[in-house]
Amino acid sequence: MSAEFANRMDRVRAERLRPMTVAALDGVVELERLVYPFPWSRANFVDSLAAGYTSWTLDGPGDELIGYCIAMRGVDEMHLLNITIAPPARRRGHARRMLGELVLLCRSEGARRLWLEVRESNADARATYVRLGFEHVGIRKGYYPAPEGRREDAVVMSLVLDDRDESDALD
């Protein structure tokens, strides 16, 4: 095993997916504001926690915030409301890891489908979701706020969940 691979594995083992807490919200809100031109408010996050939504942070070895996700359970389904990875940590499999854990949770709770919306302009995220098995199922017109008072369409995507019990939920 190469030293580079061993170092990467040590970092991955040191990363922790944890339930999001009110104590984590300062970092979550800061990252949200850094990444999005129309960020969720702190109240949106507080409301999600109060409602009991599935809410996780992914923290690095020094407890730095790598990312977070929030999903809402429905009847036989889960709806991913927000997934965010810090820009310096992107393209390292963190979103895939969180989505994989979410898929395992969905299956354990009997959800048959995972839904999400993504900005039509966010080609990178849409391509990632397609690679992970999500399919384009529709458009929500004017779903997102956009500059100059305009609105942007959302692409609605869905992942059909089967009953597999595998270590990598997205393969």
Side-chain angles (χ1 to χ4, degrees), residues 22-112:
V22 171
L25 288 184
D26 286 345
V28 168
V29 170
E30 181 180 335
L31 178 55
E32 179 82 2
R33 288 179 181 153
L34 172 73
V35 172
Y36 299 113
F38 299 94
W40 277 24
S41 68
R42 182 182 192 88
N44 292 132
F45 288 103
V46 169
D47 289 348
S48 295
L49 293 175
Y53 293 168
T54 298
S55 305
W56 296 325
T57 59
L58 180 62
D59 302 308
D63 285 336
E64 74 276 9
L65 181 63
I66 293 171
Y68 53 87
C69 72
I70 297 177
M72 177 179 66
R73 182 82 163 95
V75 177
D76 295 333
E77 65 184 27
M78 185 78 78
H79 189 145
L80 179 63
L81 301 174
N82 191 329
I83 185 166
T84 302
I85 302 297
R90 290 183 180 166
R91 301 195 183 281
R92 296 184 189 166
H94 298 304
R96 179 186 175 93
R97 176 176 177 202
M98 284 195 290
L99 284 169
E101 292 295 327
L102 187 58
V103 165
L104 290 173
L105 176 65
C106 288
R107 288 187 179 134
S108 74
E109 294 184 353
R112 296 183 182 154

